[in-house]
Amino acid sequence: WAAGEEEEHGQQQRDLGAWQYWHPRAHQEVPKLDQPPVHTFTSVLCWCAADRVRRIFAHRDNRAKAEIWGQRAEEMSAVILQRAWSPDRKAFTSFWGGAVVGPSLLRLAEVGIIKANDPRFASTVECFEADAPKVALSLSVENAPQVGGLLQAGEDAWLDSVRSYCMSSNTMLWYAEALRAVGRIDDAKKLFNSITACANDCGLLSQSIDMRTRKLWGNIPHCSTLLSILRVGTRLSMSWRDL
């Protein structure tokens, strides 16, 4: 918000914090060796800030500032979606110019930078399925499902097809939400039911789950996991109007 008000005081600060640092690099064909790679979802959060400021000004009927911030958000979106896209993987990657598709990219449709029915998002979800073992706490994989879905072998087979390694509960819930968003409702429900089946006697989940033994690891109860359960569970549930 403060960045949005600086222009009124004669400042020339036209970009949001981290975005101001990254934006000049958007036009570099080859990043400099002394520069860290740009994390895609962090840059997306910069876009979120601009887009939400636009919404605030629009809600307050300040059309001039809503237009300014709308233009900034569009510029940011164009750069991010171009630089984070991998033609080789046919997916958005965790870092600009990278190759790995990490779990944060499952949130792209949720925050609104891309529509859930965009083929690029569906392709990104599929590539995440192929890369999922890389984001686990242990990479000891045995007969893990290949590209096409962690749920391909059935509701519980994907939990039983790996040696012991842990996956973040939130990552799996983000995955379930992404499956729902791209229209794979049955897969989303199977995954959600498998996750909630791991809950303890009080119905609580921890920060991570052992994909082989279903043992809970990490902080418990885990607040963000509980919030994700409420969000995803509500969206997967039948509407009261349909009962």
Side-chain angles (χ1 to χ4, degrees):
W1 183 270
E5 295 297 323
E6 282 179 347
E7 286 184 285
E8 291 189 357
H9 298 86
Q11 302 286 343
Q12 298 300 317
Q13 194 86 347
R14 296 194 56 82
D15 291 310
L16 289 171
W19 182 259
Q20 185 185 15
Y21 169 68
W22 286 326
H23 185 263
R25 298 165 57 185
H27 305 290
Q28 295 178 4
E29 293 298 327
V30 180
K32 296 179 180 179
L33 295 178
D34 61 342
Q35 292 177 335
V38 176
H39 185 246
T40 296
F41 198 71
T42 303
S43 66
V44 169
L45 292 178
C46 293
W47 168 85
C48 286
D51 179 68
R52 273 44 172 190
V53 171
R54 174 194 63 81
R55 296 185 190 185
I56 292 171
F57 279 128
H59 180 73
R60 297 178 63 182
D61 294 325
N62 191 329
R63 296 183 180 179
K65 288 206 169 183
E67 183 177 351
I68 290 173
W69 281 95
Q71 291 175 350
R72 292 181 184 177
E74 289 180 7
E75 293 171 0
M76 294 165 120
S77 174
V79 171
I80 294 168
L81 296 181
Q82 176 190 4
R83 302 295 289 186
W85 178 256
S86 169
D88 294 333
R89 295 295 310 271
K90 291 183 172 56
F92 295 106
T93 55
S94 296
F95 294 89
W96 292 6
V100 177
V101 179
S104 62
L105 300 168
L106 299 172
R107 307 286 289 156
L108 294 179
E110 176 77 19
V111 299
I113 195 170
I114 192 172
K115 294 185 180 298
N117 60 2
D118 190 311
R120 293 176 296 176
F121 182 62
S123 178
T124 298
V125 174
E126 292 176 0
C127 285
F128 167 77
E129 292 172 334
D131 291 355
K134 299 176 184 178
V135 301
L137 299 184
S138 169
L139 303 181
S140 180
V141 182
E142 179 181 11
N143 298 323
Q146 300 300 312
V147 178
L150 293 174
L151 301 172
Q152 192 172 13
E155 177 173 348
D156 297 323
W158 69 280
L159 279 175
D160 299 328
S161 65
V162 296
R163 238 180 254 129
S164 178
Y165 72 84
C166 293
M167 183 75 79
S168 163
S169 302
N170 256 335
T171 291
M172 290 189 287
L173 288 165
W174 293 347
Y175 178 34
E177 167 56 22
L179 291 173
R180 183 203 66 82
V182 299
R184 295 167 57 182
I185 306 298
D186 290 341
D187 284 348
K189 289 182 177 180
K190 290 175 182 178
L191 176 57
F192 184 80
N193 290 336
S194 293
I195 295 170
T196 54
C198 298
N200 64 13
D201 294 341
C202 297
L204 299 175
L205 286 173
S206 62
Q207 186 173 359
S208 300
I209 300 173
D210 188 310
M211 304 286 280
R212 174 72 178 180
T213 65
R214 304 191 183 194
K215 184 176 181 179
L216 301 178
W217 288 88
N219 297 327
I220 185 170
H222 194 238
C223 181
S224 61
T225 296
L226 297 178
L227 293 174
S228 294
I229 289 175
L230 293 174
R231 183 182 66 254
V232 179
T234 299
R235 294 174 180 177
L236 287 174
S237 299
M238 183 180 296
S239 168
W240 285 105
R241 296 178 180 178
D242 297 331
L243 295 178

